[in-house]
Amino acid sequence: MDAFIGAVSLVATADTLIVILIASIFGLFVGAMPGLTATMAAALLVPVTFYMEPVPAIAAIISCTAMAITAGDIPGALLRIPGTPASAAYVEDAYGLTKKGKAGLAIGISITAATIGGLIGFAVLMVGAPALARFALNFSSFEYFWLALLGLSCAALVSSGGVAKGVLSLLLGLFIAEVGLDPLMAQPRFTFGSAELAGGISFIPVMIGMFALAEILRTGASATGVPQTTVGNPFAGVWSELMRWRVNLLRGAAIGSVIGALPGVGGDLGAWVTYSLAKRTSKTPEKFGTGHAEGLVEAGATNNAALSSAWIPAMVFGIPGDAVTAIAVGVLVMKGMEPGPQLLTVNPQNFYAVMIVFVIANLLLLPLGYAAAKLARFIFRVPRSYLNAAILLFCVVGAYAINNSMFGVLVMIVAGVLAYILEANRFAVAPIILGIVLGPLVEKNFTTSMMIARGDPLAFFERPIAATLGIATILIWTLVAASALMRSRRPRAEVVA
C-alpha cells in the first residue's frame, strides 16, 4: 500500500498529467493514420524524453502506445486497414459493421471494450502481479513453442477462406519469416546475397502492403469508395452490446492478462487466441467476419488487457515482448530505472506508477476516442481518389521509416500486389501476418528445445504446462481434421443415396 501511495504521488503532478494528455493526443493521431504504427509513435517520442524526468518520460511512452494501438482500430473499421497485427484478427467484423452503416458502433465497441479490458487487466495485475510473475518464470522454451503454435493454429482456423486456405496462408507467412539469418546459428537463408534480406523481412511493411496497399488496389479496380455511412454517437448502443456479450468481455480480458504477462510473447497473440475461442464457442459462428460484434468485443478487450500485462515481463524481467516495450525498456535504462526483479522489491513505486499511468491512458480513451470518431466522419466526404493518394503517401512514409530504406517500400509493394491476388482467390491474408510475427518465436523455441532435449521429441510433453498446451494443440488439430473429413464424405453419401 505504501508503494502504491508513493506511485500516486509520482504520477499526480501537473507535469506528468500534461505529458500524458499530450502524448495520448499524439498517439491517437499517429495510430489513426493508415500506414503509421504505434512503434513509430513511440520511437518518435524517444528524443523528447531526453529532457524529462523519469516518470514523465516513461508516462509519455506508455500513454502514446496505449492510445496508438487502440486508435489503430479506427482505420480498420472505416477503411479495412488495421493499425496492429492484433487488430487484424477482427478487422473483417469491424469493417463489416461499417458496410452495414454502423461505423460509429464499430469504433465505439473497440474503444469501450479496450478501455474495460485495460482496466480489468490493471485490477488483475494489482492483485496478482507477483503470482503472474512467478507463473511466467515457469515457462521455458518448451511452453513458449506450444503457446506460439497454438496461436498460429488459431489464425488458420478462423480465416475467412476456410481451414485449407488459412493453413496455406499461414505457411506462406512462416516462409517469409524464414528469410534472413538463422536465430541461433546466424546462417543466411533465402537472402540471395542481399544485405537487406539478411536482416529479415519486417512484418510492418508487409502488413501495410497487405492491408493498405491491397485495399487501394481493390477499390481502384472496382471503383468503389468508402462505404457511405455516418458516424453518429460512437457510444450509442455500445452498452447493450457489451452486456449481451459480457462473458466474452470478461473472458477476453482475463486471457489477455495472462498471455500478455508471458515474457517475450507480447500482446498480439492474445487477440487471435480469443477471437478464435469466441468463434469456436459461439452459437452463430457463421456470422463472424460479416460485421458481428461478439468476436470484436472479446478480442478488443484482450488487446488492451494484454497490453497492460505486457509491462510485467518488461519491467520485472527486463524482457520486452515487442518493439514498443523494447523502446520503453531503453527509456527506463536511460533514466536509471533499471528493469529487473529488484524493481518490485527495491523500487516498487516505479512499477505501480507505470500501471497507474496505463489506467489514466485507458480512461482518456473514452473522451479522446469519442472526438476521434466524430472527426472520422470527414473521411466519408473525401473522394476516394484523394483518399487513396493520402493513404498511399502514409504507407510509403511508414514503410520507409522502419529502416530508413527504400527496401521497406519495395517489400510493401510486393506484399500489396501479392495480397490483392490472394484475396481475389479468397485466401485470407491475416494468417500471413501472424505467421511472420510468431514464426521466429516458434523456430527459436523449437530449435532451443531440441538442443536441450538432445533431439528427443518426447521432451516436449515432459513438463506439466508444456504437456497441457501440447495436448490441447494436437487435440484442436485432430478435431479440425476429423470435421473436415466428415464434411468431405457427406456429399458423397448423399449422391449415393
Side-chain angles (χ1 to χ4, degrees), residues 360-386:
I360 296 174
N362 269 274
L363 293 176
L364 283 174
L365 275 175
L366 296 176
L368 293 181
Y370 177 87
K374 298 299 288 185
L375 292 173
R377 70 182 186 273
F378 293 109
I379 291 178
F380 299 110
R381 301 178 183 176
V382 179
R384 186 69 206 207
S385 57
Y386 295 160

Side-chain angles (χ1 to χ4, degrees), residues 23 52 74 82 113 120 128 186 188 194 205 238 250 262 279 303 336 424 446 490:
M52 297 182 184
I74 295 177
I120 291 176
S194 171
V238 170
L250 297 175
L262 300 176
K279 185 175 182 179
N303 208 354
F446 176 75
R490 192 175 299 127

Side-chain angles (χ1 to χ4, degrees), residues 116-162:
I116 295 175
L119 294 177
I120 291 176
F122 167 77
V124 170
L125 296 179
M126 286 295 294
V127 176
L132 279 174
R134 288 192 295 270
F135 175 72
L137 283 174
N138 293 325
F139 271 60
S140 67
S141 58
F142 298 96
E143 286 81 6
Y144 284 129
F145 166 74
W146 285 118
L147 184 66
L149 201 61
L150 182 62
L152 292 175
S153 304
C154 293
L157 296 180
V158 302
S159 60
S160 56

